[in-house]
Amino acid sequence: VGGGTMTVQRYKEMAKKLGVEENVKFYGYVPEMSDALKIISRTKLGLALYKPSSDNVSLHADVAKPKEYLKVGVPVVITKKGPSVGAEIEGAGGGVRVKYDPKEVSETVVSLLRNKKEYKKLQEGVMSLGSVYDYRSNFKNLLEDILSKSVGPR
């Protein structure tokens, strides 16, 4: 778990109460994105849980978290009434959408980690999506398109 001091403390308390603190590593704030991606790449699943409320601006934004998981090969569990990217991720097989419900989230996570066949299918879906969210290849394609339209094909 990464994040600010208050966030990490809250999750530490939750993990202790649930008796899973030995299975969770707490990093705190990780200032460098490259370091964060190295940590994320060693995980089995990424959680992108968005509370469905009218004041949650993430529901209407182009969110980065699920895309970062995909870029490093990690399948995503994302909430159904979350950002629209969730439908795209699930449709391509790179993740699963769930209700914003702690019981459903935990059951889904446990099920995916126990079912090797289902998890392997998610990993295959992630591989097909990872390059879609790589800004370097997308930017290169955009520049090539602009160049071909302005001066013609090379």
Side-chain angles (χ1 to χ4, degrees):
V1 176
T5 304
M6 298 300 290
T7 301
V8 171
Q9 186 59 38
R10 189 175 76 222
Y11 284 118
K12 279 184 179 180
E13 291 168 8
M14 186 186 309
K16 186 173 184 174
K17 188 162 66 170
L18 294 171
V20 297
E21 69 269 26
E22 291 184 21
N23 299 312
V24 181
K25 186 156 183 168
F26 298 93
Y27 292 92
Y29 176 66
V30 180
E32 295 297 324
M33 189 58 166
S34 60
D35 293 334
L37 291 175
K38 286 177 192 170
I39 293 167
I40 292 168
S41 72
R42 296 190 302 261
T43 65
K44 291 282 191 181
L45 288 171
L47 297 178
L49 308 176
Y50 300 91
K51 187 174 186 174
S53 66
S54 59
D55 61 339
N56 186 347
V57 295
S58 294
L59 302 180
H60 311 288
D62 184 23
V63 295
K65 185 190 301 187
K67 295 174 184 180
E68 298 298 342
Y69 292 141
L70 294 170
K71 284 195 294 190
V72 294
V74 176
V76 181
V77 174
I78 188 168
T79 44
K80 286 181 181 173
K81 293 190 178 181
S84 60
V85 72
E88 184 180 334
I89 291 168
E90 185 176 55
V96 177
R97 291 192 305 160
V98 296
K99 285 193 290 187
Y100 187 79
D101 173 69
K103 186 174 186 202
E104 184 173 334
V105 171
S106 62
E107 288 173 354
T108 300
V109 168
V110 170
S111 174
L112 291 171
L113 294 177
R114 286 185 175 162
N115 186 334
K116 293 185 187 335
K117 188 175 180 180
E118 186 66 26
Y119 184 78
K120 185 173 174 45
K121 279 176 44 181
L122 284 177
Q123 286 181 308
E124 290 168 0
V126 168
M127 292 302 119
S128 71
L129 276 170
S131 63
V132 171
Y133 298 117
D134 182 6
Y135 75 92
R136 286 170 286 225
S137 62
N138 289 326
F139 192 66
K140 180 180 178 225
N141 292 340
L142 175 67
L143 288 177
E144 287 175 353
D145 188 46
I146 291 170
L147 183 62
S148 72
K149 288 177 179 172
S150 62
V151 295
R154 293 199 262 171

